Amino acid sequence: MTSTTPNHPDQRLWAVLLAAGSGSRLAPSLTAAHGPGARKQYIEFDGAPLFWRSARTLACVQPVQGLVFVFPPADCERMAAQVAELDAAEPLGLPWLVCAGGARRQDSVRLGLAALPTSGQDACTAVLVHDSARPFATAALVRRVAQALAQGELAAIPGLAVTDTIKTVGPDEIVVGTPERAGLRAVQTPQGFRLAPLLAAHQRAQAEAWEVTDDAALMERAGHPVRIVPGEEANVKITTPADLDLLSSPMNGTKSPRTGWGYDVHRTLPSGEDHPQARPFILGGVVIPGGPRVLAHSDGDVLLHALTDALLGIACTGDIGQLFPDTDQTFANMPSAVFVTEALRLVRAAGYRPVHADLTVIAQVPKLGPHKTRMAAQIAQLLELPGDCVNVKATTEEGLGFTGEKRGLKAVAVVTALPD
Ligand code: MG
């Protein structure tokens, strides 16, 4: 890639997405988790089968004009229906086809290439071949490969310098050589090719019984130059059961950790006065002796109300007033633990689990120091968290404002949650 002027500005680029593998190294653990016949390309990821992530990445790159999905022959009909369903919900915005793969990867590619449109206006002139087991390839990488083709390369593949020293071994596991590391690259997909030479290379491979593990190897054997473009560290191939953990890592999905924040205030009753909604002073489910009585529809636990709102913040389900309106008699004098438990259920239903909570009570009286540990323990139990993941603080406002004047108290809560 020496020039920045496209030599093939009019190239019509399609992508072949391979989802036909049997994933033999993963099969036992997939069968255990998902039943017989489970395939890694169908593992649920971000609410869709794994291959859909790659389809969306490929489709959002401007030069890509169409997609061919290659599935195991037995699954083709079912998967075509599923792709249609996914495309209706999240349109790819380009034409796509489904075809049946073959026994080996190279057979699946050959069959995928045969499905490409080769005549008329849409005739394809260049192709990207991508493994659906590499769901983390980015649009930037796809663009880089496409650009190399547009600039005249016959074959362009992503590669990374090798950091491990590589040995070649004999059948008895005895090392027979150590290739110079500087000259090695670990290559990935998507691999990009001008269509005509790739088709010819596949035909030769058929005729001459070549066995390869990627398409670039066919081009090499056919004598074509293959250009390396920078690959991506994160573009790993899901191969072993340990790789499956990558899919559940919070940073790899579109789901980020969430922080929920809650705030609540209640009036306290001046001593000597009475009121039908006067409740004992209760914080975090702990009744605290010596405190003023609190005015509330529920049990008036300002700390658990702030906590409930923080949880609802994580679940993105509004606030405590919406869920448990104080006009509803069902909630009269209700223990606030019920609100926390329901909010926690909503957090889990949204696919999150709380990992930490930090809460502060702001009140002039009574002295809360001696009760903080019990409050934290109570809240940890409600959230089903270890005791050292919940912190309760107490402060006054130095005699200022309504808390300082002992007319009320307030609480704030911050909860951190990770995608489940
Ligand atoms: Mg409240």
Side-chain angles (χ1 to χ4, degrees):
M1 225 190 337
T2 49
S3 141
T4 52
T5 316
N7 292 341
H8 297 277
D10 57 343
Q11 74 173 356
R12 285 175 302 280
L13 180 67
W14 276 58
V16 170
L17 182 58
L18 298 173
S22 60
S24 48
R25 270 170 289 188
L26 263 180
S29 55
L30 279 177
T31 302
H34 304 279
R39 296 178 191 273
K40 68 179 170 186
Q41 58 269 43
Y42 306 153
I43 299 169
E44 183 94 348
F45 181 54
D46 263 0
L50 188 59
F51 68 80
W52 190 245
R53 165 93 163 213
S54 298
R56 292 190 59 76
T57 305
L58 290 163
C60 79
V61 173
Q62 193 269 328
V64 178
Q65 297 183 3
L67 265 180
V68 175
F69 293 88
V70 188
F71 292 115
D75 298 349
C76 255
E77 207 173 311
R78 181 169 64 89
M79 296 319 294
Q82 184 162 25
V83 172
E85 216 170 275
L86 291 163
D87 189 37
E90 282 184 309
L92 291 171
L94 40 68
W96 54 266
L97 308 162
V98 164
C99 81
R104 301 167 302 173
R105 183 186 184 280
Q106 71 190 74
D107 299 322
S108 293
V109 176
R110 183 168 38 77
L111 293 163
L113 297 178
L116 292 168
T118 48
S119 61
Q121 221 181 343
D122 294 332
C124 168
T125 59
V127 67
L128 301 174
V129 179
H130 186 55
D131 292 321
S132 62
R134 291 190 188 269
F136 306 124
T138 66
L141 180 64
V142 178
R143 213 170 283 120
R144 195 144 64 228
V145 175
Q147 211 165 29
L149 294 177
Q151 287 168 359
E153 301 293 349
L154 288 182
I157 65 175
L160 289 174
V162 171
T163 51
D164 293 326
T165 295
I166 306 290
K167 304 286 183 189
T168 47
V169 294
D172 49 1
E173 285 296 299
I174 299 292
V175 172
V176 295
T178 306
E180 186 73 43
R181 195 169 60 184
L184 295 174
R185 297 291 178 272
V187 304
Q188 312 175 333
T189 69
Q191 299 192 341
F193 307 95
R194 301 288 302 165
L195 184 58
L198 183 65
L199 281 173
H202 269 280
Q203 274 160 15
R204 256 189 90 181
Q206 270 286 81
E208 299 173 32
W210 296 350
E211 289 268 352
V212 294
T213 52
D214 74 347
D215 299 276
L218 294 180
M219 294 291 275
E220 293 155 43
R221 280 187 77 164
H224 298 300
V226 175
R227 166 74 64 184
I228 298 279
V229 301
E232 291 177 334
E233 292 283 356
N235 183 19
V236 292
K237 188 172 181 181
I238 305 295
T239 309
T240 67
D243 297 335
L244 289 175
D245 292 343
L246 288 168
L247 297 180
S248 54
S249 150
M251 302 320 287
N252 269 329
T254 51
K255 271 186 163 181
S256 308
R258 285 186 176 178
T259 305
W261 190 84
Y263 173 75
D264 195 37
V265 169
H266 277 259
R267 286 175 190 274
T268 49
L269 201 64
S271 55
E273 280 186 30
D274 212 354
H275 192 281
Q277 290 192 334
R279 316 288 187 216
F281 194 91
I282 182 167
L283 283 175
V286 176
V287 178
I288 294 167
R293 283 174 306 154
V294 176
L295 283 179
H297 179 68
S298 65
D299 69 354
D301 191 327
V302 72
L303 192 54
L304 291 192
H305 294 181
L307 177 63
T308 301
D309 262 352
L311 291 169
L312 295 177
I314 288 164
C316 278
T317 48
D319 60 37
I320 191 169
Q322 256 170 278
L323 255 77
F324 312 106
D326 59 11
T327 49
D328 187 335
Q329 280 314 304
T330 322
F331 308 121
N333 216 351
M334 178 77 86
S336 296
V338 171
F339 307 148
V340 175
T341 302
E342 173 60 9
L344 185 60
R345 190 188 65 75
L346 292 170
V347 166
R348 287 176 177 152
Y352 284 87
R353 69 188 156 90
V355 291
H356 178 257
D358 186 26
L359 308 99
T360 305
V361 184
I362 301 120
Q364 194 69 32
V365 285
K367 282 231 168 302
L368 295 172
H371 307 287
K372 287 188 296 189
T373 317
R374 269 177 67 214
M375 289 189 246
Q378 196 73 24
I379 289 168
Q381 207 167 46
L382 277 176
L383 296 178
E384 294 172 8
L385 282 179
D388 60 357
C389 296
V390 174
N391 186 53
V392 172
K393 308 191 288 291
T395 186
T396 72
E397 288 185 305
E398 303 271 342
L400 297 168
F402 68 82
T403 68
E405 292 161 11
K406 304 176 195 170
R407 292 191 290 126
L409 76 161
K410 52 186 162 184
V412 294
V414 177
V415 178
T416 308
L418 295 178
D420 232 348

